[in-house]
PDB file of all heavy atoms in Angstrom:
ATOM      1  N   ALA A 252      19.204   2.791  33.366  1.00 78.00           N
ATOM      2  CA  ALA A 252      18.874   4.014  32.641  1.00 78.00           C
ATOM      3  C   ALA A 252      19.387   3.919  31.209  1.00 78.00           C
ATOM      4  O   ALA A 252      18.679   4.257  30.260  1.00 78.00           O
ATOM      5  CB  ALA A 252      19.465   5.221  33.353  1.00 78.00           C
ATOM      6  N   GLY A 253      20.624   3.443  31.068  1.00 78.00           N
ATOM      7  CA  GLY A 253      21.204   3.319  29.734  1.00 78.00           C
ATOM      8  C   GLY A 253      20.390   2.390  28.851  1.00 78.00           C
ATOM      9  O   GLY A 253      20.108   2.685  27.691  1.00 78.00           O
ATOM     10  N   MET A 254      19.983   1.249  29.437  1.00 81.00           N
ATOM     11  CA  MET A 254      19.151   0.301  28.695  1.00 81.00           C
ATOM     12  C   MET A 254      17.850   0.948  28.266  1.00 81.00           C
ATOM     13  O   MET A 254      17.417   0.813  27.118  1.00 81.00           O
ATOM     14  CB  MET A 254      18.810  -0.906  29.587  1.00 81.00           C
ATOM     15  CG  MET A 254      19.915  -1.896  29.729  1.00 81.00           C
ATOM     16  SD  MET A 254      20.305  -2.591  28.157  1.00 81.00           S
ATOM     17  CE  MET A 254      19.662  -4.212  28.404  1.00 81.00           C
ATOM     18  N   LEU A 255      17.237   1.636  29.202  1.00 84.00           N
ATOM     19  CA  LEU A 255      15.951   2.275  28.905  1.00 84.00           C
ATOM     20  C   LEU A 255      16.118   3.293  27.785  1.00 84.00           C
ATOM     21  O   LEU A 255      15.320   3.321  26.845  1.00 84.00           O
ATOM     22  CB  LEU A 255      15.402   2.969  30.155  1.00 84.00           C
ATOM     23  CG  LEU A 255      14.639   2.053  31.102  1.00 84.00           C
ATOM     24  CD1 LEU A 255      14.122   2.845  32.295  1.00 84.00           C
ATOM     25  CD2 LEU A 255      13.470   1.391  30.371  1.00 84.00           C
ATOM     26  N   ILE A 256      17.185   4.112  27.912  1.00 85.00           N
ATOM     27  CA  ILE A 256      17.393   5.132  26.885  1.00 85.00           C
ATOM     28  C   ILE A 256      17.594   4.480  25.518  1.00 85.00           C
ATOM     29  O   ILE A 256      17.005   4.895  24.527  1.00 85.00           O
ATOM     30  CB  ILE A 256      18.608   6.021  27.238  1.00 85.00           C
ATOM     31  CG1 ILE A 256      18.240   6.902  28.429  1.00 85.00           C
ATOM     32  CG2 ILE A 256      19.021   6.890  26.056  1.00 85.00           C
ATOM     33  CD1 ILE A 256      19.398   7.685  28.987  1.00 85.00           C
ATOM     34  N   SER A 257      18.408   3.407  25.478  1.00 85.00           N
ATOM     35  CA  SER A 257      18.663   2.830  24.161  1.00 85.00           C
ATOM     36  C   SER A 257      17.414   2.150  23.586  1.00 85.00           C
ATOM     37  O   SER A 257      17.179   2.221  22.389  1.00 85.00           O
ATOM     38  CB  SER A 257      19.857   1.875  24.181  1.00 85.00           C
ATOM     39  OG  SER A 257      19.960   1.246  25.409  1.00 85.00           O
ATOM     40  N   PHE A 258      16.595   1.536  24.442  1.00 88.00           N
ATOM     41  CA  PHE A 258      15.348   0.974  23.901  1.00 88.00           C
ATOM     42  C   PHE A 258      14.403   2.085  23.461  1.00 88.00           C
ATOM     43  O   PHE A 258      13.690   1.951  22.469  1.00 88.00           O
ATOM     44  CB  PHE A 258      14.667   0.055  24.914  1.00 88.00           C
ATOM     45  CG  PHE A 258      15.165  -1.354  24.806  1.00 88.00           C
ATOM     46  CD1 PHE A 258      15.945  -1.913  25.810  1.00 88.00           C
ATOM     47  CD2 PHE A 258      14.903  -2.110  23.677  1.00 88.00           C
ATOM     48  CE1 PHE A 258      16.435  -3.205  25.697  1.00 88.00           C
ATOM     49  CE2 PHE A 258      15.391  -3.399  23.548  1.00 88.00           C
ATOM     50  CZ  PHE A 258      16.158  -3.941  24.560  1.00 88.00           C
ATOM     51  N   PHE A 259      14.458   3.196  24.195  1.00 91.00           N
ATOM     52  CA  PHE A 259      13.640   4.335  23.805  1.00 91.00           C
ATOM     53  C   PHE A 259      14.073   4.857  22.434  1.00 91.00           C
ATOM     54  O   PHE A 259      13.240   5.182  21.583  1.00 91.00           O
ATOM     55  CB  PHE A 259      13.755   5.429  24.875  1.00 91.00           C
ATOM     56  CG  PHE A 259      13.014   6.679  24.535  1.00 91.00           C
ATOM     57  CD1 PHE A 259      11.629   6.710  24.552  1.00 91.00           C
ATOM     58  CD2 PHE A 259      13.703   7.832  24.176  1.00 91.00           C
ATOM     59  CE1 PHE A 259      10.952   7.868  24.229  1.00 91.00           C
ATOM     60  CE2 PHE A 259      13.025   8.986  23.844  1.00 91.00           C
ATOM     61  CZ  PHE A 259      11.643   9.010  23.874  1.00 91.00           C
ATOM     62  N   VAL A 260      15.401   4.894  22.213  1.00 91.00           N
ATOM     63  CA  VAL A 260      15.901   5.355  20.913  1.00 91.00           C
ATOM     64  C   VAL A 260      15.456   4.394  19.807  1.00 91.00           C
ATOM     65  O   VAL A 260      15.020   4.817  18.736  1.00 91.00           O
ATOM     66  CB  VAL A 260      17.434   5.500  20.942  1.00 91.00           C
ATOM     67  CG1 VAL A 260      17.983   5.757  19.541  1.00 91.00           C
ATOM     68  CG2 VAL A 260      17.827   6.633  21.857  1.00 91.00           C
ATOM     69  N   LEU A 261      15.528   3.089  20.093  1.00 93.00           N
ATOM     70  CA  LEU A 261      15.059   2.115  19.094  1.00 93.00           C
ATOM     71  C   LEU A 261      13.573   2.342  18.785  1.00 93.00           C
ATOM     72  O   LEU A 261      13.139   2.267  17.644  1.00 93.00           O
ATOM     73  CB  LEU A 261      15.267   0.683  19.584  1.00 93.00           C
ATOM     74  CG  LEU A 261      16.674   0.099  19.441  1.00 93.00           C
ATOM     75  CD1 LEU A 261      16.707  -1.326  19.946  1.00 93.00           C
ATOM     76  CD2 LEU A 261      17.120   0.136  17.982  1.00 93.00           C
ATOM     77  N   LEU A 262      12.826   2.627  19.842  1.00 94.00           N
ATOM     78  CA  LEU A 262      11.393   2.873  19.674  1.00 94.00           C
ATOM     79  C   LEU A 262      11.163   4.104  18.802  1.00 94.00           C
ATOM     80  O   LEU A 262      10.300   4.108  17.926  1.00 94.00           O
ATOM     81  CB  LEU A 262      10.758   3.069  21.054  1.00 94.00           C
ATOM     82  CG  LEU A 262       9.285   2.711  21.170  1.00 94.00           C
ATOM     83  CD1 LEU A 262       9.068   1.252  20.861  1.00 94.00           C
ATOM     84  CD2 LEU A 262       8.778   3.044  22.568  1.00 94.00           C
ATOM     85  N   LEU A 263      11.996   5.140  19.039  1.00 95.00           N
ATOM     86  CA  LEU A 263      11.904   6.352  18.214  1.00 95.00           C
ATOM     87  C   LEU A 263      12.182   6.015  16.753  1.00 95.00           C
ATOM     88  O   LEU A 263      11.535   6.552  15.856  1.00 95.00           O
ATOM     89  CB  LEU A 263      12.930   7.377  18.678  1.00 95.00           C
ATOM     90  CG  LEU A 263      12.506   8.360  19.761  1.00 95.00           C
ATOM     91  CD1 LEU A 263      13.611   9.382  19.958  1.00 95.00           C
ATOM     92  CD2 LEU A 263      11.209   9.056  19.388  1.00 95.00           C
TER      93      LEU A 263
END
Side-chain angles (χ1 to χ4, degrees):
Chain A
M254 282 298 251
L255 276 181
I256 289 172
S257 32
F258 272 111
F259 177 71
V260 171
L261 280 181
L262 207 61
L263 271 186

